[in-house]
Amino acid sequence: MSCPAITVHPEQTVPDAARLMERRGVERLPVVDEADRLVGIATRRDLLRVFLRGDDDIRRQVTEEIVVTAMGLPSDTVRVAVRDGVVTLDGRVEAHGQVPELVHAVWRLDGVVGVMNGLGFRIDDRESRTPSHRTGSP
């Protein structure tokens, strides 16, 4: 045990506690109240449990909340498969710009540990990267 003890308070967020554990290289954090009295112990396993979700739940959230609601696409446009928290996206969206938007939105979901992108697109909406040529004097 380190001295002084590395502790957290009940009102601290799970991500904050996880970052503290990682930074300080500890497996457990005493949880203390305002008077520094021990009220519990938070373990890595406790913190991970918050983020671990079932594959079916993740698949439903990706389809309903991201594909349909956020992206405004028909539910059958993107096929979503999830195995052990790894989301595989297949299908064809309208524009190239929707692909990274969709992938990043999926990455931000709790429980997602990886994203396999198999998406195609109908329209390449990227701006041309060729430099513009100026005429006249500088």
Side-chain angles (χ1 to χ4, degrees):
M1 179 128 170
S2 61
C3 185
I6 301 163
T7 62
V8 292
H9 290 91
E11 64 275 359
Q12 285 184 266
T13 66
V14 170
D16 286 342
R19 278 191 284 278
L20 180 61
M21 286 177 126
E22 182 64 26
R23 258 193 322 250
R24 300 302 291 268
V26 296
E27 298 289 323
R28 294 170 192 79
L29 287 173
V31 181
V32 296
D33 64 13
E34 308 80 38
D36 285 334
R37 291 182 299 235
L38 183 67
V39 295
I41 300 286
T43 66
R44 283 186 185 267
R45 183 180 180 104
D46 295 332
L47 301 180
L48 281 174
R49 195 172 299 134
V50 172
F51 295 106
L52 297 177
R53 298 174 53 200
D55 291 343
D56 289 337
D57 187 38
I58 295 170
R59 185 184 52 72
R60 180 206 52 76
Q61 187 177 17
V62 170
T63 302
E64 293 175 8
E65 295 180 19
I66 296 177
V67 173
V68 174
T69 303
M71 301 293 296
L73 300 169
S75 62
D76 61 350
T77 302
V78 176
R79 288 178 304 283
V80 179
V82 184
R83 180 156 187 202
D84 297 329
V86 177
V87 178
T88 301
L89 303 171
D90 285 307
R92 190 171 177 192
V93 296
E94 185 66 18
H96 174 271
Q98 292 174 305
V99 174
E101 185 179 345
L102 184 55
V103 170
H104 288 113
V106 171
W107 261 115
R108 289 190 297 262
L109 295 177
D110 288 344
V112 172
V113 297
V115 178
M116 302 295 294
N117 177 13
L119 294 171
F121 52 90
R122 197 174 72 74
I123 299 169
D124 190 349
D125 59 349
R126 293 177 281 193
E127 290 184 5
S128 174
R129 300 222 191 275
T130 58
S132 60
H133 296 285
R134 295 174 54 188
T135 58
S137 54

